[in-house]
Amino acid sequence: MHLEVNHLYKQFTTRRGSLVALKDINLHVEQGEFVCVVGASGSGKSTLLRLVAGLETPTAGEILVDGIPVTGPGSDRGMVFQRYTLYPWMTVAENVGFGLKLQRASKIERRQLTSYYLEVVGLAEFAKAFPKELSGGMKQRVAIARALASQPKILLMDEPFGALDVQTKEAMQQFMLELWQRTGTTILTITHDVSEAVFLAQRVYVLSARPGQVREEVFVDLPVDRNYHVKRTDRFRNYEIEIVDLLRAQTQVAA
Ligand SMILES: Nc1ncnc2c1ncn2[C@@H]1O[C@H](COP(=O)(O)OP(=O)(O)O)[C@@H](O)[C@H]1O
Ligand SMILES: [Mg+2]
């Protein structure tokens, strides 16, 4: 798996004129990598992820998955959004198997993959529950299981823990890191949370404020099997400071 974004531009036409949301974005994600893009609100993060997901079309530039240009949504890219996007009338298991149904997977395959990924996210006992019976963190784990069940080449996440309280968010970050180590999934996550980016990623792309441009690529050289204790170390804090300073410098330029 190899994701490549080359000279990507996105311009929106609004009633008040045109708006450049993304300018000359270049980035890549390699097989098995966990990469984060961090940027202030309005820097075009969601736009970038929607472009990679094929939900928007670029104004210029290209997006390649294993060398093949993205022209629309596809099961090779799994998506997790900030807001819970579960179907309230379906059980947890039905939600997880939904994408597989669309892909016309057989009933047996659907059942196997659904139970496997419910196991992966630690929700096997909740297969028959409905979304309203779950906490926010659990709902997001269902959304992650649903995205993984279609066995995408890459998992795309847009501020996946942004709607959660601080404790749940920390638990979910740890959970995500362990899931990544266990499954070897290739992940691209977008966040405005610097600490989250440093904690999760092996590489962080720092976006400037509007128009979003990649200002820096930061290699996070922390142990792969990090846990939340690492957040109290100097090395962790130094990465946070580096990225916060980069974001701040960019905000001042734009202001
Ligand atoms: N469909 C759209 N039409 C017009 N403007 C849009 C559209 N989607 C996003 N934008 C604008 O593009 C900019 C980047 O938005 P977004 O990608 O949501 O940023 P972020 O996720 O970093 O907060 C914002 O100024 C937003 O208003
Ligand atoms: Mg966004």
Side-chain angles (χ1 to χ4, degrees):
M1 146 71 211
H2 174 72
L3 170 74
E4 209 176 304
V5 172
N6 294 323
H7 303 295
L8 186 71
Y9 286 76
K10 182 65 185 179
Q11 188 168 344
F12 289 111
T13 310
T14 66
R15 266 177 297 167
R16 287 188 291 152
S18 73
L19 179 151
V20 181
L22 295 171
K23 189 176 167 189
D24 199 21
I25 300 283
N26 295 286
L27 59 84
H28 65 102
V29 182
E30 304 303 324
Q31 173 70 41
E33 255 194 319
F34 200 144
V35 172
C36 280
V37 176
V38 64
S41 161
S43 60
K45 300 184 299 296
S46 294
T47 303
L48 173 61
L49 217 66
R50 290 174 57 78
L51 284 160
V52 175
L55 301 169
E56 301 265 5
T57 6
T59 304
E62 61 176 3
I63 300 162
L64 303 171
V65 175
D66 285 337
I68 298 162
V70 166
T71 54
S75 58
D76 55 344
R77 285 149 290 141
M79 186 90 177
V80 177
F81 298 93
Q82 174 175 356
R83 297 276 156 205
Y84 319 125
T85 49
L86 304 179
Y87 298 112
W89 62 89
M90 289 184 192
T91 64
V92 163
E94 283 164 353
N95 266 286
V96 172
F98 185 70
L100 291 166
K101 206 166 179 177
L102 292 182
Q103 284 178 42
R104 301 185 189 282
S106 72
K107 213 167 182 175
I108 294 172
E109 196 181 359
R110 237 157 61 205
R111 197 177 303 147
Q112 280 173 347
L113 286 169
T114 299
S115 59
Y116 175 75
Y117 283 103
L118 277 177
E119 197 78 51
V120 166
V121 300
L123 291 175
E125 299 141 68
F126 292 86
K128 294 202 171 76
F130 284 90
K132 65 169 190 293
E133 299 167 56
L134 307 181
S135 69
M138 288 159 87
K139 280 186 220 172
Q140 234 14 10
R141 271 147 63 195
V142 176
I144 292 163
R146 180 177 58 188
L148 291 175
S150 300
Q151 299 184 286
K153 289 180 177 171
I154 185 167
L155 185 64
L156 307 172
M157 303 200 292
D158 188 355
E159 312 230 21
F161 316 133
L164 303 174
D165 61 74
V166 177
Q167 287 78 16
T168 311
K169 186 193 230 184
E170 291 227 311
M172 285 296 290
Q173 290 168 354
Q174 182 76 51
F175 160 79
M176 209 55 227
L177 206 53
E178 284 165 13
L179 183 147
W180 169 67
Q181 286 160 17
R182 231 172 337 129
T183 59
T185 310
T186 307
I187 304 177
L188 176 63
T189 291
I190 295 260
T191 182
H192 69 269
D193 184 329
V194 175
S195 157
E196 178 166 292
V198 175
F199 184 67
L200 293 175
Q202 295 173 297
R203 280 192 299 121
V204 176
Y205 288 103
V206 183
L207 283 191
S208 62
R210 222 167 6 172
Q213 272 180 293
V214 174
R215 271 300 127 105
E216 196 74 56
E217 179 185 8
V218 178
F219 290 80
V220 182
D221 185 17
L222 291 169
V224 180
D225 59 343
R226 50 192 97 145
N227 63 32
Y228 63 91
H229 292 298
V230 81
K231 292 190 178 182
R232 299 199 200 104
T233 64
D234 285 342
R235 270 169 79 194
F236 189 92
R237 290 213 180 96
N238 288 340
Y239 282 121
E240 277 184 322
I241 291 165
E242 181 185 349
I243 293 172
V244 168
D245 283 350
L246 282 164
L247 289 170
R248 190 183 296 124
Q250 289 314 314
T251 312
Q252 278 165 356
V253 168

